[in-house]
Amino acid sequence: SGLVMGAEALLRWRLPGHGEIAPAQFIPLAEESRLILDIGAWVLNQVCSDYAVWQQQVADPGLVAINLSLKELSQASFIPRCRSVFEKHGVSPGRVELEITETTLMLDAERTLPLLDELRAMGVHLSIDDFGTGYSSLSALQQFPIGTLKIDQSFVRNAATDPDDATIVRTIIEMGRSLGMEVIAEGVESVKHLEFLRSHNCHFAQGRLFGEPCLAGELKALMIRQEAG
């Protein structure tokens, strides 16, 4: 429909003398050194702090997605901390979507399942990020309380011109719908991408076609303009 339904929180590291360092460079190092635990805690708190401001001026700011590391999920304090942050900022857990990659989901499925069930019971939305790049089976997928599949941009990028990628994207959309999940296509950068996704009834699209990454205040201004019509 063209309406903004939500956003994803993205990290950028601006290092003096080096410019902007992409997450693909620093996130693996953060994972390795366990700094990802401090970074993840900061991101959740910052997102909820921003959301508390938005909801004072916008009737429905939509969902905000946050990437979740398996190391964070493995912490005994993770779920109580999430609950504490939501309460502190007066943000409903239902306004946040936690994204976990397909590969991460399958690493320790037995231990991860009850934790995700607990988050879902709290009201948090859960999605599988980069879907199509991992090795989850359909039977495994059905076990998890996942509400959204996010199609990896590597498939979306050529879906309008490459028959194989088109088949993969179309199949994920149909599978997600049949399992009662919402489907988001990532990496949408052209009108051709959007037309293809619309023709196959994909629920949502995310990417640079709709705007470059922006600051929290810029997103709030966009939502206020949208609400005003």
Side-chain angles (χ1 to χ4, degrees), residues 10-88:
L10 299 172
L11 276 178
R12 292 292 181 270
W13 181 12
R14 289 180 181 145
L15 189 62
H18 294 272
E20 199 169 85
I21 300 175
Q25 289 180 271
F26 69 81
I27 291 296
L29 291 171
E31 289 268 7
E32 193 179 317
S33 64
R34 295 184 69 82
L35 274 172
I36 195 69
L37 301 177
D38 292 331
I39 292 171
W42 179 85
V43 169
L44 179 64
N45 187 72
Q46 187 61 49
V47 166
C48 289
S49 175
D50 290 335
Y51 203 98
V53 173
W54 300 339
Q55 63 187 8
Q56 289 174 5
Q57 299 178 50
V58 181
D60 182 11
L63 283 181
V64 179
I66 301 172
N67 293 282
L68 178 62
S69 160
L70 185 61
K71 282 190 171 68
E72 291 177 85
L73 196 56
S74 300
Q75 280 188 300
S77 62
F78 178 70
I79 291 176
R81 190 173 72 242
C82 284
R83 191 177 281 114
S84 171
V85 171
F86 294 140
E87 289 173 358
K88 172 186 170 185

Side-chain angles (χ1 to χ4, degrees), residues 70 100-112 144:
L70 185 61
I100 186 166
T101 65
E102 187 179 6
T103 306
T104 300
L105 191 67
M106 301 313 298
L107 279 177
D108 191 359
E110 235 175 80
R111 190 178 181 285
T112 304
F144 293 100

Side-chain angles (χ1 to χ4, degrees), residues 22-229:
Q25 289 180 271
F26 69 81
I27 291 296
L29 291 171
E31 289 268 7
E32 193 179 317
S33 64
R34 295 184 69 82
L35 274 172
I36 195 69
L37 301 177
D38 292 331
I39 292 171
W42 179 85
V43 169
L44 179 64
N45 187 72
Q46 187 61 49
V47 166
C48 289
S49 175
D50 290 335
Y51 203 98
V53 173
W54 300 339
Q55 63 187 8
Q56 289 174 5
Q57 299 178 50
V58 181
D60 182 11
L63 283 181
V64 179
I66 301 172
N67 293 282
L68 178 62
S69 160
L70 185 61
K71 282 190 171 68
E72 291 177 85
L73 196 56
S74 300
Q75 280 188 300
S77 62
F78 178 70
I79 291 176
R81 190 173 72 242
C82 284
R83 191 177 281 114
S84 171
V85 171
F86 294 140
E87 289 173 358
K88 172 186 170 185
H89 294 289
V91 172
S92 166
R95 301 288 80 197
V96 172
E97 182 168 84
L98 294 179
E99 297 184 3
I100 186 166
T101 65
E102 187 179 6
T103 306
T104 300
L105 191 67
M106 301 313 298
L107 279 177
D108 191 359
E110 235 175 80
R111 190 178 181 285
T112 304
L113 178 57
L115 296 172
L116 295 180
D117 280 336
E118 199 172 339
L119 284 167
R120 190 71 191 91
M122 198 193 302
V124 175
H125 289 258
L126 298 168
S127 67
I128 299 182
D129 197 16
D130 302 338
F131 189 76
T133 60
Y135 302 98
S136 63
S137 65
L138 279 179
S139 58
L141 192 61
Q142 286 179 295
Q143 293 177 40
F144 293 100
I146 300 297
T148 304
L149 298 180
K150 298 192 81 172
I151 308 174
D152 189 70
Q153 60 183 332
S154 62
F155 301 120
V156 176
R157 192 177 296 123
N158 300 314
T161 54
D162 184 298
D164 290 339
D165 283 342
T167 299
I168 290 170
V169 171
R170 189 168 61 247
T171 302
I172 293 173
I173 294 170
E174 290 170 359
M175 184 186 71
R177 282 185 164 276
S178 67
L179 291 172
M181 298 177 181
E182 293 185 329
V183 182
I184 300 175
E186 296 185 289
V188 178
E189 297 186 353
S190 72
V191 173
K192 277 188 176 178
H193 290 159
L194 185 60
E195 287 173 349
F196 173 83
L197 294 164
R198 275 187 171 144
S199 70
H200 294 291
N201 299 311
C202 188
H203 295 99
F204 301 107
Q206 173 181 333
R208 282 188 155 84
L209 177 64
F210 312 108
E212 294 294 317
C214 63
L215 300 175
E218 295 168 334
L219 180 61
K220 182 185 74 174
L222 172 65
M223 292 186 293
I224 289 172
R225 289 198 304 274
Q226 175 171 280
E227 200 168 81

